[in-house]
Amino acid sequence: MPRDSLPELNSLGFAKPPAETRVVVAMSGGVDSSVVAAQLHDEGYDVVGVTLQLYDHGAALAKKGACCAGRDIHDARRVAEERGFPHYVLDYENVFRDQVIDEFAESYLGGATPVPCIRCNERVKFRDLLETAKDLDADCMATGHYIRREVGAAGPELHSAADANRDQSYFLFSTTPEQLEYLRFPLGGLASKAETRALAARYGLGVADKPDSQDICFVPNGDYASVIEKLRPGAADPGEIVHADGRVLGTHRGVIHYTIGQRRGLGIGGLSEPLYVVKLDVEGRCVIVGPKEMLATRTVPVREINWLGDTPLAAGQEIAMAVKVRSTRPPSEAVLRPKGDGTAEVELLSPEEGVSPGQACVFYDPGTSRVLGGGWIWRGY
């Protein structure tokens, strides 16, 4: 068919009018997803808003203003009512506890530093909710994430957001190619959050000035330990703080209160050198501390790899790429060596400090914005 006779695609990539294109929008009640829903509705799409109740918003774990707590559900519903499209609230509390909260607790008790937001995207929003969207006969599902979906020669690709300060690619590395076919991210190309808020004001949304959520939705004020103690009573047993050279320096109030790389709040003042948490011995209930140079790591073992490259990974390859080992750090040069069983070794060309089991290692194509997937950091083979 000649190029000039090909059907014109709408803004979501479908060869039909927006009014004939149904899109489910995952609405958290925040400004980002509200703008996505309002904008698509304004463009004439058949929008259906869906909000997930992820936990009992009256329970002790929840906090005012947390994602998908009572206030957020109300805000999402109000946006849908004012704009005139249907909105549903789905009770995913049991799924969220089984698939996200319980693993978070077990990982933390095991001395890891988990990232439950990634598991929520992977196991709840982009799996169960995505299937619900298909059951509603939606052509696609849109979210308010700051990331870009671009169609390349081999199909849809995942790319970092245009605004590096808002980029959420670290939290979406486990998005599969099949999911990427169905997902849309309308905000990924915006230059700043200010543009999003300006759009919210233009559409007259009551959430235009709503503050961004800063913490994990079920962790009040970032206090992980208090949540773990509620979920696993007795988990905060005290033990010894031990220097890497074997000296006992003091006692701690439970391994769950400490993370790799932590310096403040150790309660072992009066020493001549600054000390950092370099290891957590969960079975021995010991917090091991040492000088900063002990945190430097060049070799990072990863598993559960999700690969988004155009050609499959194979054991024995050495692939130059950029990687992020924490969400707050820029990508750094590395070499990926796949093992062929869903695991790999990542060699950092420059040592990184505070690399912790339970965090993600996300892969990027060097010199471009493309996300090539990633894996979970663990203790070794």
Side-chain angles (χ1 to χ4, degrees), residues 222-282:
D223 187 356
Y224 295 0
S226 66
V227 171
I228 300 300
E229 289 183 83
K230 288 186 177 72
L231 293 168
R232 302 289 188 273
D237 293 332
E240 294 179 334
I241 299 177
V242 182
H243 194 284
D245 63 14
R247 288 178 290 151
V248 176
L249 302 180
T251 59
H252 64 74
R253 54 197 178 93
V255 172
I256 63 171
H257 292 278
Y258 302 86
T259 58
I260 302 296
Q262 180 178 335
R263 177 185 174 188
R264 299 182 183 276
L266 300 181
I268 50 173
L271 300 172
S272 59
E273 60 175 340
L275 296 175
Y276 300 78
V277 176
V278 297
K279 183 180 178 182
L280 296 172
D281 178 0
V282 178

Side-chain angles (χ1 to χ4, degrees), residues 189-221:
L190 298 186
S192 69
K193 182 60 177 270
E195 284 192 41
T196 307
R197 293 197 182 278
L199 285 170
R202 186 177 114 193
Y203 295 127
L205 303 183
V207 295
D209 296 321
K210 187 173 182 178
D212 293 338
S213 177
Q214 300 296 322
D215 302 318
I216 295 171
C217 64
F218 60 91
V219 180
N221 304 316

Side-chain angles (χ1 to χ4, degrees), residues 25 27 29-31 33-39 41 47 49 72-87 200 203-208:
V25 179
M27 300 182 68
V31 62
S33 58
S34 296
V35 164
V36 168
Q39 184 175 43
H41 181 261
V47 171
D72 296 302
I73 292 173
H74 168 77
D75 287 343
R77 181 182 290 119
R78 185 177 62 174
V79 168
E81 288 176 350
E82 291 177 350
R83 303 301 299 182
F85 58 82
H87 175 259
Y203 295 127
L205 303 183
V207 295

Side-chain angles (χ1 to χ4, degrees), residues 53-70:
Q53 180 176 312
L54 298 179
Y55 51 85
D56 180 357
H57 55 77
L61 291 185
K63 68 187 182 83
K64 183 178 180 181
C67 171
C68 301

Side-chain angles (χ1 to χ4, degrees), residues 285-307:
R285 299 206 310 273
C286 286
V287 174
I288 294 93
V289 298
K292 189 175 185 179
E293 53 265 26
M294 290 190 68
L295 291 171
T297 301
R298 289 188 63 127
T299 303
V300 182
V302 295
R303 61 184 176 184
E304 295 182 56
I305 290 175
N306 180 57
W307 180 246

Side-chain angles (χ1 to χ4, degrees), residues 19 34 42 99 107 112 116 120 133 143 168 198 202 212 219 221 242 251 265 270-271 274 288 319 331 333 349 362:
S34 296
D42 191 63
Q99 298 293 325
S107 297
C120 181
T143 79
Q168 292 176 292
R202 186 177 114 193
D212 293 338
V219 180
N221 304 316
V242 182
T251 59
L271 300 172
I288 294 93
I319 307 170
E333 291 183 286
L349 301 193
V362 180

